[in-house]
């Protein structure tokens, strides 16, 4: 069973940067729409950024101008570049993607296990 794997989280000071990556755990046929969500303690999971197969993007107002979502279709990997990080960005970040495991398989939705981002001095 394929899984989504996030990486790149960690501890960073306010104003710092991190880049998150999201990729499938094994070879897949295609990755379609992808989104990053985050969930802070005691809060609901919220959409941070999304990208379509063609590269169209959408961002939460709270991260516009600071975060950039991008994709490398050859590597079937999606990235979230996070700049000018603030303490309120602290959360577990989750990748959500639509994948086709093979040419003949159906499109299915997958979640990653999450990666912790902590912004603190």
């Amino acid at each position: 069973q394929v899984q989504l794997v996030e990486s790149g989280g960690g501890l960073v000071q306010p104003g710092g940067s991190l880049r998150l990556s999201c990729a499938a755990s094994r070879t897949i046929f295609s990755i379609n729409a992808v989104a990053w969500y985050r969930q802070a303690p005691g809060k609901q999971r919220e959409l941070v950024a999304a990208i379509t197969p063609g590269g169209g993007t959408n961002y939460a107002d709270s991260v516009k101008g600071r975060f950039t979502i991008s994709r490398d279709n050859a590597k079937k990997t999606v990235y979230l570049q996070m700049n000018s990080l603030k303490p309120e960005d602290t959360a577990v970040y989750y990748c959500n993607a639509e994948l086709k495991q093979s040419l003949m398989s159906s499109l299915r939705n997958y979640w990653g296990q999450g990666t912790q981002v902590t912004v603190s001095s």
Side-chain angles (χ1 to χ4, degrees), residues 18-71:
L18 285 174
R19 189 177 80 155
L20 306 183
S21 299
C22 173
S25 58
R26 60 178 180 83
T27 302
I28 58 171
F29 178 74
S30 68
I31 180 167
N32 286 24
V34 181
W36 286 96
Y37 288 78
R38 67 186 180 187
Q39 187 166 19
K43 294 188 177 181
Q44 289 189 331
R45 191 171 296 189
E46 63 174 356
L47 177 66
V48 176
I51 188 166
T52 67
T57 58
N58 184 44
Y59 297 93
D61 287 343
S62 59
V63 306
K64 281 181 181 176
R66 300 188 298 122
F67 290 11
T68 302
I69 188 170
S70 62
R71 61 191 298 151

Side-chain angles (χ1 to χ4, degrees), residues 48-90:
V48 176
I51 188 166
T52 67
T57 58
N58 184 44
Y59 297 93
D61 287 343
S62 59
V63 306
K64 281 181 181 176
R66 300 188 298 122
F67 290 11
T68 302
I69 188 170
S70 62
R71 61 191 298 151
D72 183 330
N73 288 329
K75 294 182 178 179
K76 298 184 177 67
T77 300
V78 174
Y79 305 96
L80 184 67
Q81 178 67 43
M82 304 185 295
N83 299 328
S84 302
L85 282 160
K86 305 175 180 179
E88 52 263 43
D89 294 317
T90 296

Side-chain angles (χ1 to χ4, degrees), residues 3 5 12-13 20 23 25 30 41 62 68 87-88 91 98-99 114 119:
Q3 295 178 329
V5 180
V12 64
Q13 292 187 342
L20 306 183
S25 58
S30 68
S62 59
T68 302
E88 52 263 43
E98 296 177 331
L99 305 177
V119 185

